[in-house]
């Protein structure tokens, strides 16, 4: 082995769990994603998907993608900056901007490339980027690519956020970036207080609505709308890979910011544009969300029922306020073991270990969809109680 292989072997945690037969990642799904999926030749309940609206298998979304393939072909063979802009991209951007209440929007090929491209394009060496310490990895990588001074505050700790703002030069740009819904813990950003501090310290706010879009607010417009603070948030980011049943992402803001990003965000300028099928599918999903309020009602009915059942069963679920329900394990090895036990019983959940969380906060993540039934939730809770009790976790 070479020096590189020797170095990597020291930190190869997955290899350890592969050898134990409890490695839970990269399982193959043999069909459409829904509340039940085929995996490894048998059917399991899917409680590990971010498809909150349950639209990934909707025939209208699928048909929109097929029709776009017939009209535009399979890809654009270039970036939006050059030959890769379709009228379909522009239509989706206009409708997304109107949906989240901003002047304009830009669509990117993935949600990750929104944050990793937008954040370093907004500020320079004399400015500040201030993040919650549990922000998503795409935000972390975006700030790492920036030359700006970087500050972090303790999760949802507004006193610590103010302390970080007090360190900043009052005449410099101070960009606060926060997840609207934290993707592992399921709790919400304290947006009202962040907005208050914005005005006190003349800061700018960017909210990642990846897990808020299609879930919170009127017609699923997101956490900013949920708090009635859309006009106070300067940039709103979202993804297509969750509630919009596709792949891609967007940033929405006022026209001056969007025009700057259109010419300076490197992951926008130098990445191939999103495929016609993905763009059309996201657009159709957006239309369905707006026209079917009963879908959002069903999601919250399932969510509230699941929250009640997990609490009654004695699980530690933290401060979640969303369809993301963390079941805390607080031990890496047992987190993998309980995931395998649940899968063997026919329930797919996601293990969350460092660096996605602190070592003492490992958990398994349950996520609800609008299409989950009470019977499916009951079955999942029953199987998870059994798995947790087997490992003396309940």
């Amino acid at each position: 082995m070479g020096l590189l292989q020797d170095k990597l072997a020291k930190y190869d945690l997955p290899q350890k769990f592969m050898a134990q037969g409890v490695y839970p990642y990269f399982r193959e799904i043999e069909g459409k994603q829904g509340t039940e999926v085929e995996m490894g030749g048998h059917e399991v309940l899917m409680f590990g998907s971010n498809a909150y609206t349950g639209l990934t298998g909707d025939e209208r979304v699928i048909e929109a993608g097929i029709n776009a393939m017939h009209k535009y072909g399979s890809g654009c063979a270039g970036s939006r900056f050059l030959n890769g802009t379709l009228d379909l991209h522009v239509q989706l951007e206009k409708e997304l901007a109107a949906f989240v209440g901003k002047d304009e929007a830009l669509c990117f090929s993935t949600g990750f490339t929104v944050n990793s491209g937008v954040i370093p394009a907004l500020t320079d060496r004399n400015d500040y980027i201030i993040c919650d310490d549990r922000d998503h990895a795409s935000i972390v990588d975006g700030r790492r690519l920036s030359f700006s001074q970087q500050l972090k505050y303790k999760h949802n700790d507004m006193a610590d956020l103010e302390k970080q703002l007090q360190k900043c030069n009052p005449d410099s740009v101070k960009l606060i970036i926060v997840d609207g819904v934290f993707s592992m813990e399921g709790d919400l950003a304290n947006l009202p207080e962040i907005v208050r501090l914005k005005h006190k310290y003349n800061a700018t706010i960017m909210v990642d609505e990846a897990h808020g879009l299609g879930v919170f607010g009127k017609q699923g417009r997101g956490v900013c709308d949920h708090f009635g603070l859309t006009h106070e948030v300067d940039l709103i980011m979202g993804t297509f890979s969750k509630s919009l049943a596709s792949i891609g992402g967007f940033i929405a803001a006022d026209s001056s910011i969007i025009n700057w990003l259109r010419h300076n965000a490197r992951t926008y300028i130098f990445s191939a544009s999103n495929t016609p099928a993905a763009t059309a599918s996201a657009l159709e999903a957006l239309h369905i969300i707006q026209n079917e309020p009963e879908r959002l009602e069903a999601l919250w009915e399932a969510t509230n029922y699941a929250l009640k059942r997990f609490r009654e069963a004695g699980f530690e679920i933290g401060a979640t306020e969303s369809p993301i329900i963390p079941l805390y394990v607080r031990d890496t090895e047992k987190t993998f073991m309980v995931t395998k036990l649940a899968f063997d019983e026919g329930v797919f959940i996601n293990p969350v270990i460092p660096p996605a969380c602190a070592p003492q906060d490992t958990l398994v993540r349950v996520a609800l969809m609008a299409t989950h039934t009470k019977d499916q939730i009951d079955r999942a809770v029953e199987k998870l109680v059994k798995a947790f009790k087997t490992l003396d976790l309940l």
Side-chain angles (χ1 to χ4, degrees):
M1 293 175 68
L3 290 175
L4 175 61
Q5 291 89 337
D6 287 341
K7 179 179 180 179
L8 296 180
K10 294 178 183 177
Y11 305 100
D12 194 359
L13 189 63
Q15 193 64 42
K16 171 188 173 182
F17 292 111
M18 286 177 182
Q20 293 177 7
V22 295
Y23 184 72
Y25 301 119
F26 303 106
R27 290 197 178 104
E28 298 174 16
I29 297 175
E30 298 146 9
K32 293 177 186 175
Q33 284 213 31
T35 57
E36 299 190 23
V37 297
E38 289 288 328
M39 299 183 77
H42 66 284
E43 201 167 77
V44 297
L45 291 168
M46 172 52 74
F47 280 93
S49 172
N50 294 319
Y52 304 114
T53 54
L55 288 171
T56 51
D58 190 283
E59 288 302 322
R60 295 165 292 178
V61 175
I62 294 168
E63 190 67 23
I66 291 170
N67 291 339
M69 285 269 283
H70 284 306
K71 180 175 181 179
Y72 297 99
S74 59
C76 297
S79 73
R80 289 289 302 277
F81 200 61
L82 299 174
N83 65 300
T85 293
L86 305 176
D87 54 357
L88 194 60
H89 293 128
V90 176
Q91 181 186 353
L92 179 56
E93 287 170 340
K94 287 179 178 177
E95 294 197 26
L96 284 168
F99 185 63
V100 300
K102 292 298 174 188
D103 292 349
E104 293 187 51
L106 280 185
C107 288
F108 290 64
S109 299
T110 67
F112 201 103
T113 56
V114 179
N115 285 335
S116 59
V118 167
I119 294 168
L122 289 172
T123 56
D124 62 27
R125 293 178 188 275
N126 299 314
D127 299 324
Y128 301 86
I129 294 174
I130 308 166
C131 295
D132 188 293
D133 67 6
R134 294 190 190 171
D135 277 348
H136 188 262
S138 58
I139 296 174
V140 173
D141 281 9
R143 68 173 176 78
R144 284 174 175 171
L145 289 168
S146 172
F147 292 111
S148 300
Q149 299 175 69
Q150 298 174 23
L151 302 170
K152 289 191 294 184
Y153 62 94
K154 296 171 187 174
H155 178 55
N156 256 346
D157 185 331
M158 297 296 99
D160 195 33
L161 171 56
E162 182 160 22
K163 189 183 299 182
Q164 303 310 315
L165 286 164
Q166 289 169 347
K167 296 177 182 178
C168 302
N169 182 334
D171 296 325
S172 296
V173 173
K174 296 165 285 292
L175 178 62
I176 303 168
I177 308 172
V178 66
D179 285 340
V181 181
F182 290 90
S183 59
M184 297 298 111
E185 298 83 8
D187 55 339
L188 308 188
N190 188 349
L191 203 53
E193 185 63 12
I194 293 171
V195 166
R196 186 187 72 79
L197 292 172
K198 163 191 169 170
H199 289 294
K200 185 174 180 179
Y201 293 95
N202 192 22
T204 300
I205 302 174
M206 175 175 166
V207 174
D208 181 327
E209 288 276 23
H211 296 270
L213 203 71
V215 178
F216 287 90
K218 183 181 178 182
Q219 296 181 309
R221 296 172 193 267
V223 171
C224 299
D225 183 84
H226 167 74
F227 284 115
L229 293 171
T230 296
H231 62 292
E232 296 282 8
V233 174
D234 302 277
L235 298 101
I236 294 176
M237 175 271 181
T239 58
F240 307 156
S241 55
K242 298 170 178 64
S243 290
L244 295 184
S246 183
I247 184 71
F250 72 94
I251 190 73
D254 68 33
S255 297
S256 63
I257 292 175
I258 293 299
N259 191 53
W260 171 265
L261 293 172
R262 187 179 284 119
H263 296 90
N264 290 277
R266 293 170 68 84
T267 58
Y268 178 81
I269 297 170
F270 298 107
S271 289
S273 58
N274 214 350
T275 65
T279 306
S281 294
L283 182 61
E284 180 62 22
L286 181 62
H287 293 162
I288 293 171
I289 289 170
Q290 293 177 88
N291 293 322
E292 296 183 1
E294 64 272 17
R295 191 169 290 272
L296 189 58
E297 292 167 9
L299 172 61
W300 279 103
E301 184 178 346
T303 296
N304 290 327
Y305 182 72
L307 286 167
K308 178 174 177 287
R309 291 286 284 109
F310 280 116
R311 287 191 177 108
E312 288 174 348
F315 287 93
E316 181 190 354
I317 65 172
T320 180
E321 302 177 60
S322 72
I324 299 165
I325 304 178
L327 308 180
Y328 284 93
V329 178
R330 304 192 183 283
D331 178 284
T332 296
E333 191 156 342
K334 285 187 176 182
T335 298
F336 278 4
M337 290 171 68
V338 80
T339 303
K340 182 183 187 303
L341 288 171
F343 184 77
D344 290 345
E345 291 286 336
V347 180
F348 182 97
I349 49 175
N350 291 311
V352 181
I353 63 168
C357 66
Q360 69 275 15
D361 292 332
T362 68
L363 57 96
V364 291
R365 179 183 183 272
V366 174
L368 279 300
M369 293 184 266
T371 43
H372 276 124
T373 66
K374 286 185 177 181
D375 174 67
Q376 289 172 328
I377 294 167
D378 285 336
R379 285 155 56 198
V381 172
E382 176 190 344
K383 300 300 185 184
L384 287 166
V385 165
K386 180 180 177 182
F388 269 64
K389 285 187 174 180
T390 299
L391 297 172
D392 294 322
L393 295 169
L394 271 181

